């Protein structure tokens, strides 16, 4: 037996005491393990487009390597990619920072701006990583529950009530992971009216699903032009161009914020991968028709999933406006009993049962801070979607009411 790395006591820093390994990653890994053991598992759990990275993007990466673009890049990103992003956003290069995925943009942002006790208003349900990134950076998460009755969106009144002298940011995500909810121009403007009264609060707007939208998408920067001086937009190529593995994201914002984030990045990962930046440039400057083509495919799948879920007894969902997730209620399954006699008490129990009974991996809503729900990703083939809907129905139909 190998014993090169005996497991001594490892003291985790207090800073990460409340940080968990991503629940989504846990589920994906559990599903992969079941599959490795020969089980028939279908994972509709991850937030990753099933399309291939476009060929012209891969070609640009190959060309970059052949041209020797294999060295360190400037910390803030290659001039070519910063300019491509700046051009799209209608800003200067100095307003753009390139990072290793939008996830790093978020961690740069909060590490660069939060002092211990500073608060970030986080409408929930929200992407699982937000609360942990904020806590890791020393901040306090102010979760504001935004249920289906309000379209999973924060209202102006809720925002007003959540602001304290310690509030540093309100973190918006439109279209949203996990709900697909998207803020209209007038909804953003209503939030802007509140923020105008509180000049110490800045806006972090995660717009990574911008191009996967089934209604008109409005950027916070466009809806609130007078607040761009305290707005940082987070975006990237992962979702729009099926480039999750290339790890390129960016921030667009005031130069002082960009420089602070650059300084954090400079002492962690430095400039993002040179080859991936060349590829991202090709994505931004190349054929954009694929964005609408892919959004149309996603829309079609959304419609199929929404009708299948609403036709399944005990399950229901609203119609998402963007991203590639359906966030559905499993509340009516709670209290029911599985064929092996286990009682479904929570959304986690429901997802565990569906995985065990039908090999279908979903993510419980509590991972996104809203219980009694689950998230289903339809970034998968049509065949898998048909299969997934059938598995979901078969599992749910097996749940029986408790004996009276
Ligand atoms: N923001 C949201 C809302 C996301 O869903 C994700 C990916 N799951 C990210 C950011 C991170 O994207 P990236 O791959 O660019 O790090």
């Amino acid at each position: 037996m190998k014993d090169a790395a005996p497991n001594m006591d490892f003291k985790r820093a207090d800073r990460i005491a409340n940080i968990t390994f991503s629940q989504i990653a846990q589920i994906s890994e559990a599903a992969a393990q079941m599959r490795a053991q020969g089980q028939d598992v279908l994972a509709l759990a991850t937030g990753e487009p099933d399309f291939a990275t476009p060929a012209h993007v891969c070609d640009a990466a190959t060309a970059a390597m052949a041209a020797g673009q294999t060295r360190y890049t400037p910390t803030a990103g290659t001039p070519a990619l910063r300019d491509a992003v700046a051009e799209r956003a209608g800003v200067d290069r100095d307003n753009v920072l390139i990072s290793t995925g939008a996830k790093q943009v978020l961690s740069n942002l909060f590490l660069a701006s939060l002092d211990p006790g500073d608060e970030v208003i986080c409408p929930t349900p929200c992407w699982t990583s937000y609360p942990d990134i904020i806590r890791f950076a020393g901040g306090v998460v102010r979760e504001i529950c935004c249920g289906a009755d309000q379209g999973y969106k924060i209202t102006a009144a809720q925002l007003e009530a959540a602001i304290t002298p310690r509030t540093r940011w309100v973190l918006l995500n439109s279209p949203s992971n996990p709900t697909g909810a998207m803020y209209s121009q007038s909804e953003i403007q209503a939030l802007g009216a509140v923020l105008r009264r509180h000049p110490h609060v800045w806006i972090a707007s995660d717009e990574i699903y911008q191009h996967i939208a089934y209604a008109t998408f409005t950027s916070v920067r466009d809806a609130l032009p007078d607040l761009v001086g305290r707005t940082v937009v987070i975006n990237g190529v992962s979702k729009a161009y099926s480039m999750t593995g290339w790890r390129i994201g960016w921030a667009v914002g005031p130069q002082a914020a960009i420089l602070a984030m650059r300084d954090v990045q400079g002492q962690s990962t430095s400039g993002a991968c040179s080859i991936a930046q060349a590829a991202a440039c090709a994505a931004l400057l190349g054929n954009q028709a694929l964005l609408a083509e892919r959004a149309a495919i996603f829309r079609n799948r959304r419609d199929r999933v929404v009708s299948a879920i609403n036709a399944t007894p005990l399950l229901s969902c609203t119609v998402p406006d963007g991203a590639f997730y359906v966030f559905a209620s499993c509340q009516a399954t709670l209290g029911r009993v599985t064929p092996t006699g286990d009682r479904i008490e929570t959304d986690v129990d429901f997802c565990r049962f569906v995985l065990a009974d039908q090999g279908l991996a979903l993510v419980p809503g509590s991972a996104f801070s809203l219980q009694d729900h689950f998230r289903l990703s339809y970034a998968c083939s049509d065949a898998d979607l048909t299969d997934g809907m059938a598995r979901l129905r078969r599992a749910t139909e097996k749940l029986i009411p408790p004996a009276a």
Side-chain angles (χ1 to χ4, degrees), residues 95-260:
N95 298 111
V96 176
L97 174 75
I98 308 299
S99 299
T100 301
K103 201 172 201 171
Q104 192 192 17
V105 177
L106 287 154
S107 66
N108 284 337
L109 179 65
F110 295 126
L111 284 168
S113 63
L114 297 179
D115 283 320
D118 282 349
E119 296 171 9
V120 180
I121 295 173
C122 195
T124 60
C126 70
W127 183 38
T128 45
S129 291
Y130 291 155
D132 276 354
I133 294 173
I134 294 163
R135 283 189 207 111
F136 173 68
V140 174
V141 188
R142 291 271 311 216
E143 293 193 358
I144 307 297
C145 182
C146 306
D149 54 328
Q150 56 190 86
Y152 300 115
K153 293 182 263 196
I154 191 170
T155 65
Q158 281 179 308
L159 177 60
E160 180 75 63
I163 292 172
T164 76
R166 292 306 302 266
T167 307
R168 194 70 202 273
W169 296 96
V170 54
L171 173 53
L172 300 176
N173 174 214
S174 171
S176 150
N177 175 6
T179 66
M182 186 161 70
Y183 288 80
S184 68
Q185 173 157 320
S186 61
E187 286 165 342
I188 300 170
Q189 284 167 343
L191 300 178
V194 173
L195 295 171
R196 268 181 216 110
R197 294 195 286 275
H198 301 279
H200 66 292
V201 180
W202 283 50
I203 311 165
S205 181
D206 182 345
E207 303 182 356
I208 191 123
Y209 293 100
Q210 159 177 12
H211 295 291
I212 305 166
Y214 318 122
T216 307
F217 166 82
T218 306
S219 172
V220 168
R221 283 178 49 86
D222 295 333
L224 303 173
D226 60 317
L227 299 185
V228 291
R230 49 183 167 120
T231 300
V232 173
V233 168
I234 297 112
N235 212 324
V237 290
S238 286
K239 317 287 175 175
Y241 299 96
S242 305
M243 293 178 67
T244 42
W246 300 78
R247 311 306 304 124
I248 296 293
W250 54 80
V252 171
Q255 197 188 355
I258 296 296
L259 287 175

Side-chain angles (χ1 to χ4, degrees), residues 25-46 48 355 358-362 379-380 384 387 391:
Q26 283 182 43
I27 290 159
S28 303
E29 290 182 13
Q33 208 173 355
M34 286 170 70
R35 205 178 285 125
Q37 289 162 355
Q39 296 187 51
D40 169 25
V41 173
L42 175 63
L44 299 182
T46 52
E48 180 161 61
L355 181 60
Q358 291 291 322
L360 175 63
L362 304 165
C380 64
D384 279 352
D387 182 19
R391 291 183 195 222

